[in-house]
Every structure is written in C-alpha cells, then in structure tokens.
Amino acid sequence: MNAAAEHVLVADIGGTNARFALADTTAAVPLDQGSIGEYPVARFPSLAEAAACYVQERGARVRSGVFAVAGRVDGDEARITNHPWVISRSRTAAQLGLQRLHLINDFVAQAMSVALLRTPDVVQIGGAAWQPAAPTVPRNYCVIGPGTGLGVGGLLVRDGRHYPLATEGGHASFAPTTPEQIRILEILTQQFGRVSNERLICGPGLVNLHRTLSEIAGQDPGQLQPAQVSERAAAGDPVALRAIEVFMDIFGAVAGDAVLVQGAWDGVFLTGGLVPRLLGPLQHSGFRSHFENKGRFTATLSQVPSLAIVHPCPGLLGAAAYALDLEQAPNGASA
C-alpha cells in the first residue's frame, strides 16, 4: 500500500491495547496487514493522541476513519468498558483533521469481519462446512465471542449490503442442561443472584466454573486467573480439565441458542480473545454436540456451520469491511 495515497484509518480499541491500520476501499483486500500498529492505551491520555501518534509514525494521509471500541456507543460518545477513556466522535475527528469518523461497537466490527473472511481465516468446528458467499446472496450469520466478557452479534447480508446487529446477548440467562450444571447454577446464584451466560463463558467465567467445580469437589483452588486454569488443565489437573470441558459444553449450547434466536442458519462465527487460546480443546470438546442438541431442531442445527475465527485482527478487518460498505452505500448511508 502506498502510504502517500489517502486511505481510511481503522482502529480496534480495547481496554488494554489500541490497534490501528490503513484500509484501501478500492482494493480487493482492503485491510493492509503491513500497516498494523499496536499501542498500550495506558501510554496515551486520549484516543485522539494515540491515533495521531500512529498517523505521524506512518506518514499516512487520512480523511476518514472507522474506530471499533470495546464499549457502548451512544450517539456521539463512547466509553471503553475496561479503561477510563471517554471518546467524543466529533472532538476526536476534529483533533485528527478527519472529515468523517464513525464510532462502532467492537462486536459490530466482529460481525462485519465476516464479510471479508476467507477459508484460511477460519477453522471448522464440527461437520457442517462453510464457504464464503457472494454479497448478492442473502445470508444470516451469528457472531459470538468470549473474552473479558461474552459478546454476541449478528450479520445480515441483503442485496450486496451488510447489516451488523449489535446485541447484549451475552447477558441472557444461563439455562443448565445437566444435573452438574444445575448445581453450578445453584452455587453461582448464591453469589450473583441472577446468572447470565457471561458469568460462565468468558475469561472470568472460566474462573467461576473452576471455583464452583472445586467447591463441589470439596477443594479450595485459591484466587486464579483464566490462564492459570488453562495451565493447570495442561498439567493434567482433573478439576481444571473438567472446568474447560464444561466451559465448552455450555459455550456450544449458548451458541446454538443464539443461532435459534437470530435465525442464523448460514453459520455462527466464534471469536474473542479465548477462542484462539483454547482452539485445541474446542476442536476436541463437546461444543458441537451441545450446539446441535436442540430437541426438535437438532437436525436443523446439525446443518449450521460453526467456525472459529483465526484471523489475527478480526476487529480491524471488520472496521475495514464497515468502511468498504459505507463506500458502496447510496449517498454514503451508514451500515
């Protein structure tokens, strides 16, 4: 990509790191992988200063931007869930000299990434296969991802346009399906009152599961981080191994429920920080059997593909897809 040309500045902003890249909406592959830069958010007092640092270091010329943020976007403002930045779209645009800036939720970007994913970017989980479809073919997709929390979104493809659905599906109530899961729910209800899927299917949720299973086994695991649970499982610890097994079972059931709710018969994409780290256990787990186990809809779910996204930067890819869709929209209407 020629840095002297004008491109769209895309960003994926989380609670720890800010990633930036350049996108060329005239290119077959709009995201320039070689332009990706990553910075710790703690290094900068504002998003505008982090973005300005990237633009200056790259010598880039940009007049528009699409920034995906890990937080709720409310009109002109966005707040990062796990960082004190409060982002004003209009003020950030003015500080960067951008004529147009779009702030989108990070799971809007995750959903939009599906538009640009190719077969090497995903790993098939289960027997149902998937192939990218032409944008003129109607499609309904679901996107679900465990990280710090549990994100759930969707993507509708209609008449060459891509319409992302931002939801809070991770906060739907947990529905146990086995006696063991019922006992887990009872214990977590004592702690949280109401137990959502996010209390189990995310990094802290893995810790909740491990602690609860330890209590059932009459053990005290102490205070652990998600990575420590994974390390104990890798070392053969039976409670940690069971925690990951139950995590995958519930993850599959929740993903299947999301497909039913959204009518996402064309596929569910698994993303988020935990998916690449737990890809091996995911491929050899009960995820798919619990995904399909939907009573009278079991045969239907068995035909729905489930794909783990292994692209290194799906958030940036989705921001680039959003920018591309804006360019193709009549009169620049938003996606």
Side-chain angles (χ1 to χ4, degrees), residues 81-164:
T81 302
N82 295 302
H83 188 73
W85 278 355
V86 178
I87 303 163
S88 163
R89 183 201 59 79
S90 56
R91 187 162 57 249
T92 301
Q95 288 175 291
L96 294 173
L98 299 178
Q99 296 178 354
R100 185 173 66 175
L101 174 62
H102 293 268
L103 290 181
I104 61 175
N105 175 263
D106 60 338
F107 255 75
V108 167
Q110 293 286 347
M112 285 296 291
S113 75
V114 174
L116 297 180
L117 290 174
R118 297 296 177 259
T119 49
D121 298 321
V122 299
V123 172
Q124 181 178 317
I125 308 296
W130 171 82
Q131 289 291 333
T136 53
V137 179
R139 287 288 185 265
N140 286 26
Y141 295 118
C142 175
V143 181
I144 183 168
T148 305
L150 178 63
V152 180
L155 184 72
L156 303 181
V157 184
R158 298 291 187 274
D159 301 321
R161 295 294 314 283
H162 298 84
Y163 300 92

Side-chain angles (χ1 to χ4, degrees), residues 158-208:
R158 298 291 187 274
D159 301 321
R161 295 294 314 283
H162 298 84
Y163 300 92
L165 305 177
T167 85
E168 291 296 340
H171 295 280
S173 297
F174 167 53
T177 58
T178 67
E180 180 183 49
Q181 291 180 19
I182 291 172
R183 181 61 184 137
I184 289 169
L185 175 60
E186 290 173 345
I187 294 172
L188 291 180
T189 298
Q190 295 174 359
Q191 179 179 357
F192 297 113
R194 175 182 178 271
V195 180
S196 68
N197 290 322
E198 187 175 80
R199 293 295 191 187
L200 300 117
I201 308 305
C202 64
L206 179 59
V207 174
N208 288 338

Side-chain angles (χ1 to χ4, degrees), residues 233-322:
D237 179 85
V239 177
L241 283 168
R242 185 58 187 156
I244 290 179
E245 289 172 354
V246 174
F247 180 97
M248 295 303 176
D249 292 349
I250 297 173
F251 187 18
V254 171
D257 287 344
V259 168
L260 291 174
V261 169
Q262 294 186 16
W265 313 123
D266 298 301
V268 58
F269 290 82
L270 316 177
T271 186
L274 288 189
V275 169
R277 300 174 196 172
L278 296 176
L279 184 59
L282 177 62
Q283 291 175 290
H284 302 94
S285 71
F287 174 93
R288 187 68 197 190
S289 62
H290 286 76
F291 175 84
E292 296 179 9
N293 185 21
K294 298 301 176 187
R296 289 169 289 176
F297 274 80
T298 294
T300 301
L301 268 292
S302 71
Q303 301 300 312
V304 177
S306 53
L307 297 311
I309 297 177
V310 293
H311 187 283
C313 298
L316 289 174
L317 187 69
Y322 193 96

Side-chain angles (χ1 to χ4, degrees), residues 3-21:
E6 289 184 0
H7 298 102
V8 180
L9 176 63
V10 295
D12 182 18
I13 312 299
T16 304
N17 294 307
R19 298 177 180 89
F20 299 95

Side-chain angles (χ1 to χ4, degrees), residues 27-52:
V29 181
L31 179 65
D32 178 13
Q33 293 282 148
S35 71
I36 295 173
E38 181 175 311
Y39 306 88
V41 293
R43 177 180 161 188
F44 302 94
S46 71
L47 171 57
E49 292 184 60

